[in-house]
Amino acid sequence: MKLRVLGVLSVLVVALVLLVSNVILSSAGSELTAQLQISRVASLNRIAQLAYDAASEGETAVLKRDMDTYSGLYGEALVVRMQTQTLISGSVDPQRADIRDALARASLNLSDTTLRPLTPFGTETQVISRSFGSASQVLGAVVMDVNVDAAREKLRLRWLSTGAAATMLAIVLLLAAGRVTGWVLRPVQRLGMAVRELKETGRSTKVPEAGPPELRELSRSFTEMATTLGELIESQRQLIADTSHHLRNPIGALRLRVDLLQLELKDAKARAAGDGVLAELERVEEILDSVLKLAVAEHRALEDSLGTKNVEGAAAVDTHVDPAVVLGEEVERAQPAALAAGCILRPVTPEDPGLELKCNRIELAQMIGELLNNAIKYAPGAAITATLRIAAGNTIIEITDTGPGLSTAQLANATTRFWRAEQHATVRGTGMGMTIVEKLATVNGARLNLSANQPHGLRASLTFVTPPGPGETEHRS
């Protein structure tokens, strides 16, 4: 960002310096041209007056002497054309095109005493002319071949001095622009780093208050906001821990009392009522577990990126995990529930394919377990397949089933918390399983994809973007 701002400021500084330099140089050129023109027109008028006197008296000696003196002093040629003769001083050819044209115009009483604006480079001379005579008759013309080399040399010196001054000014302005840019943008860069740190770790160090007053106020406000957010994160963590502790104990005690009460119930109707109470109590326990799991998963995104966790249900550290081993363990753990539901769960061969994932092992097991339990619960009697494969540098863990599956609209809502498909209304559940998996996948650097399995059923895949390692193969069972 600093380079872009400095680039824009540099262009503006250079444009400003060039504009000011152009004005100064144009003024210098106009000033030297005006000075030279005033001096040469005065000399031209004097020579024209001498030429008029000579033409009137018929004596040109004085005129010729003055012409030679002038040419010797200034190195500029003069041509005087009278009715009877033409006088020349200095080195000039009266037949030169510009001299001839100037004499012709002056003979028609068309004087030209204006010099073109000077430029610092070039070797050409300039010609000025005027006629002389009476009010009713032109007696002749005077042409001066003006040598502008001395004026050009002065103009070049002014150009050099102006260029040196402009260069120094540009350097000073660029250095000042760099300092001002750093003064303004350094707090912005610190704020950007603090925002990234807050995003990645859930906390931010105090941002130094520097720069303009507005940025100092912004840094102060950001530090206060980050502090408040950190306190809120800690408060949330503590709330999760307290909820887990204070709700589990009363629910466990209530369940024990219900179990004891059922032992005292003799009537079948009363026992049925007790069974209903126990079923609802189990549902409350299940919802509480799901809410706590979801809270932990959402809280993960606000804590240190893949760091130590202090919440119940979270792992202590994140390590490089062998996904084949974790998948095999979860498939083996889910086999009894699959058999009870009439499902055929194909086990994964527990051979180490040499794969490693940088993720939380317990949370990876939780995600796979949720997907397996979801398939067993909502696709009873179906064939369930667990797959570990590599595709385009990505490690993919895939759970597919041959159950009824979900429609396209239902797939779009499947990760919404507490959402359940209409056809599953009679199946016991909380509607938070896929939401938990999606949150845990996000904080572990993966993404959850739900799609239809062909010819029918559901395909749930966890995709970890990782570079392929040695010995990576596809395992499917």
Side-chain angles (χ1 to χ4, degrees), residues 233 236-244 248 288-304 308-315 360 362-363 366 417 432 435-437 439-441 443-444:
I233 294 174
Q236 182 189 20
R237 185 201 67 76
Q238 191 61 43
L239 176 62
I240 294 172
D242 292 343
T243 301
S244 175
R248 287 185 185 276
L288 175 61
D289 287 339
S290 297
V291 169
L292 290 175
K293 289 178 181 178
L294 179 60
V296 170
E298 291 180 337
H299 184 64
R300 283 276 279 117
L302 299 176
E303 288 210 333
D304 290 346
T308 302
K309 300 293 168 285
N310 298 314
V311 186
E312 182 179 346
N360 188 299
I362 293 179
E363 290 174 348
Q366 184 179 350
R417 62 179 68 187
M432 288 188 288
T435 307
I436 294 172
V437 174
K439 297 295 183 183
L440 291 178
V443 299
N444 281 280

Side-chain angles (χ1 to χ4, degrees), residues 240-448:
I240 294 172
D242 292 343
T243 301
S244 175
H245 175 72
H246 291 292
L247 285 183
R248 287 185 185 276
N249 290 339
I251 290 177
L254 182 60
R255 183 184 181 91
L256 179 61
R257 290 178 183 274
V258 172
D259 288 339
L260 293 175
L261 179 61
Q262 280 189 306
L263 295 177
E264 302 296 329
L265 297 177
K266 306 300 182 183
D267 182 71
K269 186 175 181 179
R271 282 182 172 274
D275 290 339
V277 171
L278 186 59
E280 291 301 321
L281 184 59
E282 290 175 348
R283 176 174 173 79
V284 170
E285 288 180 323
E286 185 176 353
I287 292 176
L288 175 61
D289 287 339
S290 297
V291 169
L292 290 175
K293 289 178 181 178
L294 179 60
V296 170
E298 291 180 337
H299 184 64
R300 283 276 279 117
L302 299 176
E303 288 210 333
D304 290 346
S305 180
L306 303 178
T308 302
K309 300 293 168 285
N310 298 314
V311 186
E312 182 179 346
V317 293
D318 296 327
T319 58
H320 292 276
V321 179
D322 186 340
V325 173
V326 177
L327 184 59
E329 292 174 351
E330 291 305 310
V331 168
E332 183 178 356
R333 188 176 291 112
Q335 282 290 5
L339 292 175
C343 296
I344 300 175
L345 178 56
R346 300 177 182 177
V348 175
T349 304
E351 295 180 359
D352 183 4
L355 291 177
E356 279 192 348
L357 293 177
K358 189 177 186 303
C359 67
N360 188 299
R361 179 186 177 89
I362 293 179
E363 290 174 348
L364 177 62
Q366 184 179 350
M367 288 186 280
I368 297 174
E370 288 283 358
L371 295 179
L372 289 172
N373 292 336
N374 187 79
I376 293 170
K377 182 187 298 183
Y378 297 112
I384 302 173
T385 303
T387 305
L388 173 63
R389 60 189 177 88
I390 297 296
N394 299 333
T395 302
I396 301 176
I397 299 173
E398 202 167 65
I399 308 297
T400 60
D401 64 66
T402 58
L406 298 173
S407 66
T408 302
Q410 289 175 332
L411 286 173
N413 296 321
T415 56
T416 304
R417 62 179 68 187
F418 297 108
W419 179 87
R420 304 191 70 202
E422 295 179 359
Q423 63 268 32
H424 299 152
T426 58
V427 182
R428 181 172 171 176
T430 63
M432 288 188 288
M434 288 299 178
T435 307
I436 294 172
V437 174
E438 183 185 47
K439 297 295 183 183
L440 291 178
T442 300
V443 299
N444 281 280
R447 63 178 182 272
L448 171 65

Side-chain angles (χ1 to χ4, degrees), residues 69-82:
T69 301
Y70 179 86
S71 296
L73 181 62
Y74 292 102
E76 298 176 351
L78 291 169
V79 177
V80 177
R81 176 174 291 177
M82 296 183 290

